[in-house]
Amino acid sequence: MSVPLYSSDLALLDFISDKRALRLEDCGLAKVVRHKGHINRVVFYRRPDDPLPSTARDYQGSAYSFEQPLADGHHCWKLDRCKVGAPIRPLRHRKRVASS
């Protein structure tokens, strides 16, 4: 029976046999996930030379607004300054639908 093999960042790499999955576990290279006694999937352990997995923050960029603590203990949101020469995009507001 074939078992899915995943990288350390959970990307599907291949389908392998149960025998190969057990061999990877014995060598200490991967974690074998079992459900009800059967091998469900195999996930490689992260090695020191592997790159860090990408996060949603990598695609979003830096925050435009951030929380600023005030002297009286309250917090407010402060807008980050635009960089010189950076294009400014207008905000798009959704049109409100009038309820009848």
Side-chain angles (χ1 to χ4, degrees):
M1 184 172 171
S2 62
V3 179
L5 174 67
Y6 294 96
S7 66
S8 60
D9 61 350
L10 301 179
L12 180 65
L13 298 175
D14 199 3
F15 287 90
I16 60 174
S17 66
D18 290 348
K19 184 177 178 182
R20 184 171 175 207
L22 294 173
R23 189 179 314 136
L24 287 172
E25 183 181 36
D26 290 339
C27 293
L29 296 175
K31 175 183 175 182
V32 174
V33 179
R34 294 177 174 88
H35 290 285
K36 297 183 181 179
H38 300 288
I39 298 175
N40 187 296
R41 64 184 174 271
V42 181
V43 181
F44 273 121
Y45 289 124
R46 188 177 177 282
R47 292 185 268 171
D49 58 339
D50 286 345
L52 294 174
S54 59
T55 62
R57 190 72 178 163
D58 296 336
Y59 298 103
Q60 291 174 347
S62 60
Y64 178 69
S65 60
F66 57 93
E67 196 171 5
Q68 178 185 18
L70 300 176
D72 62 356
H74 289 88
H75 294 272
C76 70
W77 289 95
K78 182 177 179 180
L79 297 179
D80 196 10
R81 293 183 179 177
C82 292
K83 295 177 179 65
V84 176
I88 299 174
R89 294 180 290 155
L91 295 174
R92 294 184 184 156
H93 296 285
R94 294 183 188 175
K95 293 181 181 179
R96 292 186 181 183
V97 178
S99 59
S100 53

